[in-house]
Amino acid sequence: MCKLFDKEKGPGRLMKKGLTLILVGHINFILGAIVHGSVLRHISKPGQRVTTEYTVANIISVTSGLLSIAAGIIAIVVSRNLRVVKLQIGLLITSFLNAFLSAACCVGLLLAISITVAHNGQGLMKGCNSTEVPINARSPVSARCPFDTTRIYDTTLALWIPCAVLSAAEVGLSIWCFIVGLALRGLAPCGNHYIKEQLEDEARATGHSQHLIAPSTTPDA
């Protein structure tokens, strides 16, 4: 994996991965915001019975989308400035945090999807003012709800499933960027990769050549 990044093609690949992270992060953020605005804001009010697993999973999804955008921007900047140590460290930190958060998001969304399917969407109907009898979101109901119950089950799953897939993609992209950061810093398991030495040699050669071509100034007689 470390050998996939070299001085010639590596920066271009890193830039593409950064652009992909930004795109995926934007889509994931928008989908999470739609789910929260259309469904979860009605079942997570303090006066209602809070559906914790749904709310937490969706908040993590939105946060993961924002962090993916930030990680993508840093990856693009690093691709243009491979020798800047602060940017390399920033790439390591953001990609690691994003991989961890995206993995938690993917697991949380899969858990929310499993609970929803197993209970026929009863958790999605907790914002309705009705009797204590559980309401099945998959069948027509005659309950007073602060939101439109038509196709709420299908709509929520149709948004959650792409969010889970995109979160898994964020994990893969973030791990790739993290490994690139390890290679640039010469850290294990990429400590034997020569890209760091190449960049250091190039920096020394550039500094030496600039020193040679610098015009020598002599005081006027």
Side-chain angles (χ1 to χ4, degrees):
M1 184 68 179
C2 299
K3 296 181 180 179
L4 294 178
F5 188 86
D6 52 31
K7 192 176 66 174
E8 288 76 20
K9 297 182 180 180
R13 293 174 180 172
L14 183 59
M15 179 176 289
K16 291 179 181 178
K17 295 296 189 298
L19 291 172
T20 306
L21 264 177
I22 293 175
L23 177 61
V24 172
H26 272 94
I27 297 176
N28 212 1
F29 175 80
I30 292 172
L31 292 179
I34 292 175
V35 173
H36 185 82
S38 60
V39 179
L40 297 185
R41 67 186 178 93
H42 299 292
I43 63 177
S44 60
K45 293 180 179 180
Q48 304 288 351
R49 296 176 58 188
V50 179
T51 310
T52 307
E53 62 273 11
Y54 293 160
T55 305
V56 172
N58 202 68
I59 290 175
I60 295 177
S61 176
V62 173
T63 306
S64 173
L66 292 174
L67 188 56
S68 295
I69 296 173
I73 293 174
I74 293 177
I76 293 175
V77 175
V78 171
S79 69
R80 307 295 295 179
N81 303 274
L82 293 178
R83 296 192 295 269
V84 181
V85 177
K86 292 182 179 179
L87 291 177
Q88 296 173 359
I89 297 176
L91 179 65
L92 278 172
I93 295 174
T94 55
S95 58
F96 175 80
L97 292 177
N98 192 47
F100 178 79
L101 191 62
S102 297
C105 172
C106 186
V107 173
L109 288 174
L110 291 177
L111 177 62
I113 293 172
S114 301
I115 293 175
T116 302
V117 174
H119 296 87
N120 293 321
Q122 293 177 7
L124 299 176
M125 307 298 292
K126 287 185 178 181
C128 298
N129 184 16
S130 60
T131 62
E132 295 298 326
V133 179
I135 303 175
N136 189 339
R138 301 190 66 179
S139 60
V141 294
S142 57
R144 290 178 297 171
C145 297
F147 55 92
D148 185 11
T149 60
T150 306
R151 307 184 72 86
I152 185 173
Y153 179 85
D154 297 333
T155 301
T156 305
L157 289 183
L159 293 172
W160 268 343
I161 292 175
C163 281
V165 175
L166 292 174
S167 297
E170 289 174 354
V171 173
L173 292 170
S174 299
I175 291 176
W176 192 91
C177 291
F178 180 73
I179 293 176
V180 169
L182 292 177
L184 292 174
R185 296 300 306 144
L187 301 175
C190 300
N192 296 326
H193 192 49
Y194 59 90
I195 181 64
K196 182 182 179 181
E197 287 76 10
Q198 280 185 320
L199 294 176
E200 291 175 349
D201 293 340
E202 182 181 354
R204 284 193 293 266
T206 302
H208 182 66
S209 61
Q210 290 178 352
H211 177 73
L212 291 178
I213 63 176
S216 59
T217 58
T218 58
D220 296 334

